[in-house]
Amino acid sequence: MSDSAQLQHRGLIGDSGVPPEIEAKAKAIRRDTGFPVGWLIAPSAVWLLLFLVIPLLSIVLFTFWSSEIGKLDTSFTLENYAAFFYNEGFFNSQADRFLSVSVFLKTLWNTFRFTLEVMALCLLVGYPIAYFLALRIQTFKWQMALFLVCMVPFWTSYLIRAVAWIPMLGRRGLLNKLLLNMGIVDQPVDFLLYSEFAYTMALVQLYVVLSVGPIFFSLAKIDKTIIEAARDMGAKTYQIFWEIILPLSLPGVAIGMVFIFVMIMGEFATAVVVYGGKTSTVGTVILNYYAVANYPFAAVNAIMLMLAMMVGVVIILRLIDIRKEL
Amino acid sequence: MAKKTKEFVKRKHDTGVSRREFMGTTAKAVAAGSMAASFPFIAKAADPLRTIGLGVSVINEIQGQAAADLGYGVTGQALGYGAYFGKALNQNDQYDVCEGYFNDFDVFLPAKIFQPLDTHRISEWDKVSSLSKTGKLTPDSKEGDGDAPFRLLWCDADGNLIDGPSRYITALPMFHNADSLGYDRDALGRDVTSWAEMLGSDVQGRVGLTNTPQVGVMDVAMATEAAGLMSFGDKGDMTRAEIDQLINYLIERKKEGHFRSFWETFGQSVNLMVSGEVLIESMWSPAVTASRAEGINCVYATLDEGYRGWHAGLTISAKVSGAALDRAYEYLNWWLNGWAGAFQGRMGYYHPIPDNAKKYLSAAEWDYWYMGKPAAEALSDPWGNPLVEVGEVRDGGSYETRFSNIAVWNSIMKENDYLVKRWTEFLSA
């Protein structure tokens, strides 16, 4: 975000910071209190260590082992990483795989690219909903009521929501019946289901609320008097949006993006249900290797997925500095 | 009936129904696998017998009956395919008996997780059918490519595979079935008698296929061979060149939009058929039954080239000894006596000693499930829910007809990693 925007908002939303002398004093007081506060985080630290850090490290360890039929060979190897990146015949101009990218890398890239697409769509659909809820609905009671209505689909299980697309989009689905009855088509249309179209639509429907929620909350936090003041000073509606509302809602957008990004990167079930399994995501690759006990290679894919997720999250947080905005 | 039918049908399948239910258990399994060694399990006399397997055989009623007959507790753990595979392989101190499948033995046997079974301790070993012993149910039966039980059955006292027959076996052959294509007879308007039909241009865009690479690849291999497009040395153990040729062809067809959907679970294959999304697809025979229950004239194809078979085998963990070992053998012998075979028979599975299953089946049930005759009376599933109406005939004919015509058995190939890699390419294409 631009410097001018920061200047405009300084003081208004309380980001001028605590004066250093007061902060130092506060710290000193905290240190002096008798009860060691650090212990409060001990349970969660132990929990995370046992159930996150250690399993994660063991996954990393697995990637350096190799899977032989029926057992794991625990001698150190980088073969799994090589198999992930390198395609046999890559440097051989005679082979049909000459200079073609490894399928696992391709899958990771496709997963990443598709996730970005869906994320963008979720924002495009979600932002107006959140905007309407937060700024157009006047009473808090109605805001909350309508927000809960947005959440209704999430009261059922994820898979049921995904499966529910079938009677809607299928060959004998509602939409096809409608098209047939209206005489627009004379054969049921196929592309509505088990296609990238269906997959994208289902994912947007499944995850859009993850963007509506955070955006709604950051929009609702905006002090209405700022908008009023801007209007009094003669700002046009679009100016108010671009220069005040949008910048102030960016933290919500960023949080929504992170949620959606992480969820869709790990996606594999929806692809099977609505895309008919006609694509592979990193998730499905991991499952296929896990199912035949090739844990090392599954682990390599898992680590790569995690790295890609981290890169994505870092990019998102680079684009929007949440801490500054809050 | 429909609801209950579906429920039981969901519990019965060979591999894969809930292959993917195990995401949550992945981490646990991996962690437990690496830690298992540090928590030795000490068997006590009072401990119940522990058995693991898929929902096909680990069913409360079966283990409950076993416990009642044997006089001690039997605890069964029904797992999804991936979880079963991982637990069998990595935690053989956590079970006494594993109700496994011969097609997993290429991985399980070299790991030495089971102990060789002594046929002298199997009371009715002589009566176990020749299907699993020689590969031929009748003298002129096909043996079939791939992991047929007889190829993975005989071993020496140390558990190394040898050409049979021998005193020791790797697993006690148990329930089995043959899979085929299912198709919508009314929509297609004709009978399907060849695997090649699933590649025909008249079903373009209306074809379903299982997305388990190891199984799906066999179905399409059967189809391309039947269509005269390619041939294979051993469909149960393809070479890289064969896999390449097959997958390249599939990618081409997929780009043309030939496949409507790949299914993951049993229920999905039923949904695809019932909703009219596909006309023809690889299907398990109970899925055909379930589709018929929904009013679709779904037929389990009788294919000239033969079926794809699978066969379960009960094994005892290498960690079991002493009194626990005696109980494990008792449990295996109990399985052979036919009660469980009859129970599973009402779901469409076959028993290795058909005559023992017959003892617990009514004459009408026997005629319908094993002999391929029209049902003389209305028949129920194992839980007593109506399943078959009077006069219905089981698709695929009698037990002998089906099992003398197995073209290929479910297998894990030596080139499995390569297969999964190419399959990933196929799906992404």
Side-chain angles (χ1 to χ4, degrees), chain A residues 62 69-70 171 276 278 280 288, chain B residues 19-20 111 262 277 427-428:
Chain A
F62 265 103
I69 288 218
R171 290 180 60 90
K278 289 197 281 191
S280 51
N288 278 334
Chain B
R19 241 172 102 232
R20 309 227 153 142
F262 302 109
E277 295 295 333
L427 294 187
S428 321

Side-chain angles (χ1 to χ4, degrees), chain B residues 35 44 123 127 152 168 188 273 404:
Chain B
M35 286 181 188
K44 283 166 279 173
S123 51
K127 291 195 219 157
L152 293 154
Y168 293 95
L188 208 57
M273 185 56 69
S404 50

Side-chain angles (χ1 to χ4, degrees), chain B residues 179-331:
Chain B
D179 297 331
S180 169
L181 291 172
Y183 63 99
D184 186 335
R185 176 72 181 72
D186 292 345
L188 208 57
R190 62 184 150 80
D191 286 320
V192 165
T193 56
S194 168
W195 284 93
E197 294 260 17
M198 75 186 296
L199 299 174
S201 53
D202 56 339
V203 289
Q204 179 106 342
R206 307 289 296 277
V207 179
L209 188 65
T210 166
N211 81 346
T212 307
Q214 294 79 10
V215 182
V217 80
M218 297 223 178
D219 288 355
V220 286
M222 290 298 299
T224 51
E225 199 172 56
L229 294 166
M230 42 192 92
S231 61
F232 300 87
D234 180 351
K235 281 184 289 296
D237 205 0
M238 299 181 197
T239 62
R240 284 193 176 210
E242 285 170 343
I243 294 172
D244 278 338
Q245 190 190 14
L246 183 59
I247 299 282
N248 291 343
Y249 170 76
L250 288 178
I251 289 175
E252 224 174 273
R253 296 306 303 271
K254 182 171 179 256
K255 284 185 174 158
E256 289 169 15
H258 188 72
F259 299 101
R260 181 66 175 146
S261 177
F262 302 109
W263 55 263
E264 174 85 39
T265 64
F266 178 92
Q268 262 183 306
S269 73
V270 176
N271 270 331
L272 285 172
M273 185 56 69
V274 171
S275 63
E277 295 295 333
V278 302
L279 293 174
I280 186 167
E281 61 174 335
S282 35
M283 245 176 159
W284 299 328
S285 86
V288 174
T289 314
S291 302
R292 296 184 70 89
E294 298 289 332
I296 300 290
N297 186 13
C298 181
V299 177
Y300 177 86
T302 310
L303 301 169
D304 299 339
E305 300 89 12
Y307 304 102
R308 177 173 48 72
W310 57 266
H311 207 300
L314 267 54
T315 59
I316 301 178
S317 160
K319 295 279 166 74
V320 178
S321 60
L325 182 59
D326 296 339
R327 288 203 298 268
Y329 270 109
E330 280 181 47
Y331 180 69

Side-chain angles (χ1 to χ4, degrees), chain A residues 26 45 103 119-120 146 168 213 215 247-248 315 319:
Chain A
V103 62
M119 193 172 77
L146 288 173
M168 186 74 192
I215 297 174
L248 287 177
I315 292 175
L319 288 175

Side-chain angles (χ1 to χ4, degrees), chain A residues 180-233:
Chain A
L180 284 171
N181 287 347
M182 285 165 56
I184 297 173
V185 294
D186 52 3
Q187 281 284 319
V189 209
D190 272 338
F191 80 93
L192 292 173
L193 191 59
Y194 303 126
S195 59
E196 184 150 337
F197 168 80
Y199 188 36
T200 315
M201 196 144 96
L203 285 178
V204 170
Q205 190 267 337
L206 287 169
Y207 292 114
V208 74
V209 86
L210 291 182
S211 69
V212 174
I215 297 174
F216 168 68
F217 286 116
S218 62
L219 283 172
K221 255 180 47 185
I222 296 175
D223 193 341
K224 299 276 166 30
T225 52
I226 304 174
I227 298 168
E228 213 168 295
R231 200 165 283 136
D232 289 347
M233 310 280 271

Side-chain angles (χ1 to χ4, degrees), chain B residues 132-159:
Chain B
S132 50
K133 289 176 177 169
T134 65
K136 288 174 180 295
L137 187 62
T138 58
D140 49 353
S141 295
K142 284 183 193 167
E143 284 178 357
D145 285 349
D147 292 348
F150 80 99
R151 297 196 177 99
L152 293 154
L153 180 69
W154 306 106
C155 66
D156 59 22
D158 297 322

Side-chain angles (χ1 to χ4, degrees), chain A residues 122-143:
Chain A
C122 280
L123 291 181
L124 280 179
V125 176
Y127 199 97
I129 299 175
Y131 184 89
F132 177 79
L133 281 178
L135 298 175
R136 284 284 171 270
I137 308 290
Q138 297 304 328
T139 63
F140 179 73
K141 203 171 77 183
W142 276 106
Q143 273 181 349

Side-chain angles (χ1 to χ4, degrees), chain B residues 115-131:
Chain B
Q115 52 184 288
L117 302 181
D118 186 351
T119 53
H120 292 183
R121 300 186 69 173
I122 308 289
S123 51
E124 296 181 283
W125 177 241
D126 294 342
K127 291 195 219 157
V128 170
S129 95
S130 58
L131 174 70

